[in-house]
Amino acid sequence: MVSVPEIAALQTELTRRWHDAPPAVTGQGFLRLIEENHLRNFSLWHEEDVARRDDLGFEAVYRAKRAIDRFNQERNNFAEEIDKALVAGLQPRTGDCPRNSETPGMIIDRLSILALKEFHMHEETVRADASAEHRAKCTEKLDRIRRQRSDLALSLTQLLDDVAAGRRTFSVYFQFK
């Protein structure tokens, strides 16, 4: 199994790389699931930018909204696939031990979103055309995002360690609509 710091580093690297070149998923096995989930979040982020614009007309916003729905469903599907792989690898207890309310796949999905927030907030801290006040506020937000991401990664590491040791468990409730 891949470590949480490796997952977070991969999400950071993919975010940077995909802003410079067309996104492509190249990982194998479990890492492929991480990349697929992150690609959906990356795509969702940028479609939401399109949907917020008011200069593109109804048709462009409509197409963006449809893409958002599709990417969101695919993102959830890959979070569930991550959970399936973790259940197979960790075999969480089903008996009498504390149950985590959030699955590891959901947490990995949140780490992905925070990687995107971190990248885009960093861009705001170095914008030459932004005021010093704007850059300073964005630097504070960036520090908060980084703390949140670090705390979340630590929590996931602890959860996975506890599940492997039989001290905690989680349940996967596959979604349907």
Side-chain angles (χ1 to χ4, degrees):
M1 196 69 32
V2 179
S3 75
V4 174
E6 288 175 277
I7 291 169
L10 176 62
Q11 292 166 332
T12 297
E13 171 57 25
L14 292 173
T15 302
R16 186 203 54 74
R17 187 182 325 150
W18 292 346
H19 278 92
D20 292 334
V25 173
T26 60
Q28 301 296 315
F30 187 73
L31 286 179
R32 183 172 192 87
L33 296 175
I34 301 298
E35 288 186 32
E36 292 282 9
N37 171 261
H38 191 61
L39 177 58
R40 289 351 182 258
N41 280 320
F42 181 90
S43 301
L44 188 60
W45 182 284
H46 294 93
E47 284 297 328
E48 287 172 342
D49 287 345
V50 172
R52 286 186 198 99
R53 293 184 56 180
D54 58 9
D55 63 329
L56 297 177
F58 171 79
E59 187 64 31
V61 172
Y62 171 79
R63 282 192 310 273
K65 295 273 189 184
R66 298 298 292 174
I68 288 167
D69 288 345
R70 185 180 76 254
F71 290 136
N72 201 33
Q73 183 60 56
E74 291 172 359
R75 162 187 162 235
N76 289 322
N77 292 347
F78 279 108
E80 287 182 357
E81 290 300 317
I82 291 167
D83 284 331
K84 282 182 191 175
L86 289 170
V87 166
L90 293 171
Q91 299 181 347
R93 283 181 51 185
T94 56
D96 220 12
C97 65
R99 183 170 310 280
N100 208 62
S101 63
E102 212 176 15
T103 70
M106 296 164 103
I107 298 170
I108 290 168
D109 181 66
R110 286 182 33 223
L111 285 170
S112 168
I113 294 165
L114 286 169
L116 291 161
K117 285 183 177 184
E118 182 177 1
F119 178 89
H120 288 279
M121 192 57 65
H122 177 262
E123 284 187 322
E124 290 299 309
T125 68
V126 295
R127 266 187 48 208
D129 65 333
S131 70
E133 180 183 0
H134 174 79
R135 289 191 307 270
K137 284 181 182 179
C138 290
T139 297
E140 288 175 22
K141 291 177 184 178
L142 179 59
D143 290 343
R144 199 171 324 129
I145 290 166
R146 286 177 173 157
R147 278 193 315 274
Q148 183 181 5
R149 194 162 179 237
S150 176
D151 289 348
L152 188 59
L154 177 60
S155 294
L156 178 58
T157 297
Q158 291 168 342
L159 171 62
L160 295 176
D161 289 347
D162 285 350
V163 170
R167 293 185 298 265
R168 284 170 66 194
T169 192
F170 64 93
S171 294
V172 180
Y173 304 100
F174 298 106
Q175 302 302 312
F176 53 89
K177 186 171 180 179

